[in-house]
Amino acid sequence: MSLRVLKPGLQTTVQDLGRPNHQIDGFPTSGVMDQPAAITANLLVGNPASAAVLEFFMAGPTVEFTVSTFIALGGADFKATLNDQPVDPNRCYQVHEGDRLAIGHAASGRIGYLAVTGGLQVAPVLGSRSTTLRLQLGGYSGRPLQAGDDLPIEEHLTLPGYYHRHTKGAAPVSKDTTATISVLKGPQWDWFDPASRESFLDTTYTVSNQSDRMGYRLSGPTLPVPDQSMLSAATVMGAIQIPASGQPIVLMADRQTTGGYPLLAVIASADLPTFTQLAPGQTVQFNLIDQAEAQTRLEEGRRTINQLAQKLRSAAFLPPYGITRVPTSGSPLYLRRSNHEHR
């Protein structure tokens, strides 16, 4: 029973919520870049937030299912079809043996997710199924997927409340719009003179083509680098380093565990999903906020996810629907939980 890769797409990997407990051992956290998008897709197919999903950049894979189950797409707006019928994001669909899902290019945004009921059953490494590419660790043989790969998945025939499993996802920033991203002061904020800090907040940066899961490089006016030496310090996702070039680098999921460049600012957690979805060539400007505002906005995002989880749990006790193939109209057919939840 598997999900078979016919076309791999761009940098398609297996990811979950990462291995944060092993940073002390020198291993990158890794995991999904856009956590709310991946968690939402997992909730829609009855999974825990930590279930392993497929993550892909700019162009998605084409896959074939050898077993019946349920799926949902999340993240950026990818054009996708199931058996040549359109598939909407953030909506659960039922699939059967021989069905084909083709995920095309992103119309907006950058990163997409495919969740399957039960999660992708690759072997966990250090407590996570996430792929760390530069270490060839975890996921499917520690690498991006290739045509012919078979990822183990479970069979799921029914799912209570499956017709109700859809939601409205966060819309990626338009390619023609400058994204406004909130930041907090970094640990070396005071190392930079007032003019440099003001320039950082006033500048419109462009996301460089040299951006990947380790970090997004930004291009714009050069910032003066403080003439101070520092010891290597722990890093976090969203930290904005200023290297010797004076061009900011935003550290992402596969970042190194420690770094020796000064951290001018850190992207607020609530805005990290928006930032990760910016494609090369898109522009961004930073807005300084305090910790209280950052915490309030983070709690609002968590509340939205929790409300969705509660809504789907309340639907879990409805009578399960039988197996029905996707009709030619392409209208959605939704999902199931495990058999012990059928009451």
Side-chain angles (χ1 to χ4, degrees), residues 96 183 339:
H96 302 277
V183 298
N339 289 332

Side-chain angles (χ1 to χ4, degrees), residues 13-23 27-43 47-55 113 115 119-120 122 124-132 139 213 237 252-255 273 302 305-306:
T13 58
V14 177
Q15 301 290 344
D16 57 18
L17 297 184
R19 45 183 71 87
N21 293 335
H22 289 278
Q23 290 182 95
F27 292 96
T29 299
S30 296
V32 293
M33 294 271 280
D34 184 345
Q35 283 200 9
I39 290 172
T40 297
N42 267 326
L43 290 175
N47 290 342
S50 58
V53 298
L54 285 188
E55 178 183 87
Y113 296 95
L120 301 172
V122 298
V125 177
L126 297 175
S128 169
R129 293 182 168 90
S130 285
T131 310
T132 304
R213 283 182 49 87
M237 186 166 174
M252 304 306 283
D254 284 354
R255 67 194 180 277
R302 288 174 173 169
I305 290 289
N306 288 336

Side-chain angles (χ1 to χ4, degrees), residues 51-335:
V53 298
L54 285 188
E55 178 183 87
F56 39 89
F57 285 67
M58 304 305 292
T62 297
V63 299
E64 182 177 271
F65 298 89
T66 67
V67 65
S68 296
T69 187
F70 297 84
I71 63 170
L73 294 174
D77 180 16
F78 284 82
K79 302 304 179 185
T81 60
L82 178 61
N83 299 330
D84 297 322
Q85 299 300 321
V87 171
D88 294 328
N90 299 301
R91 185 178 286 272
C92 180
Y93 292 85
Q94 190 173 42
V95 296
H96 302 277
E97 181 180 357
D99 285 354
R100 290 191 177 190
L101 175 70
I103 306 170
H105 289 79
S108 61
R110 178 182 188 133
I111 306 170
Y113 296 95
L114 171 62
V116 179
T117 299
L120 301 172
Q121 297 298 308
V122 298
V125 177
L126 297 175
S128 169
R129 293 182 168 90
S130 285
T131 310
T132 304
L133 293 174
R134 64 190 176 93
L135 298 181
Q136 298 182 339
L137 178 75
Y140 190 91
S141 301
R143 60 166 172 79
L145 298 186
Q146 301 172 0
D149 288 343
D150 281 305
L151 281 72
I153 59 175
E154 301 170 346
E155 182 176 45
H156 290 271
L157 300 177
T158 59
L159 189 72
Y162 141 62
Y163 279 94
H164 302 281
R165 293 180 178 266
H166 59 91
T167 189
K168 184 177 180 180
V173 176
S174 167
K175 295 179 180 179
D176 301 323
T177 303
T178 295
T180 299
I181 300 295
S182 295
V183 298
L184 298 105
K185 294 178 181 179
Q188 283 79 47
W189 173 266
D190 290 333
W191 287 19
F192 294 81
D193 60 51
S196 297
R197 299 195 298 252
E198 183 177 351
S199 174
F200 169 72
L201 295 173
D202 288 343
T203 294
T204 297
Y205 290 99
T206 301
V207 179
S208 166
N209 287 322
Q210 295 179 295
S211 299
D212 56 24
R213 283 182 49 87
M214 286 188 65
Y216 285 12
R217 292 181 178 268
L218 305 179
S219 58
T222 299
L223 288 173
V225 181
D227 186 20
Q228 297 190 47
S229 61
M230 65 174 284
L231 299 174
S232 290
T235 63
V236 296
M237 186 166 174
I240 302 176
Q241 286 185 336
I242 309 299
S245 68
Q247 299 288 294
I249 302 173
V250 183
L251 303 183
M252 304 306 283
D254 284 354
R255 67 194 180 277
Q256 67 275 22
T257 56
T258 61
Y261 294 126
L263 300 180
L264 173 60
V266 180
I267 293 178
S269 296
D271 279 5
L272 259 176
T274 301
F275 181 81
T276 61
Q277 290 291 354
L278 297 180
Q282 286 193 260
T283 55
V284 57
Q285 190 163 18
F286 297 109
N287 171 55
L288 185 66
I289 62 174
D290 60 23
Q291 187 170 351
E293 182 177 349
Q295 186 67 33
T296 297
R297 294 186 55 208
L298 178 61
E299 290 301 327
E300 289 173 353
R302 288 174 173 169
R303 190 156 47 246
T304 298
I305 290 289
N306 288 336
Q307 287 171 348
L308 175 62
Q310 182 59 44
K311 172 185 174 183
L312 296 178
R313 279 197 297 270
S314 67
F317 301 107
L318 296 176
Y321 292 93
I323 301 175
T324 310
R325 296 192 66 83
V326 173
T328 55
S329 65
S331 59
L333 299 166
Y334 304 95
L335 140 136

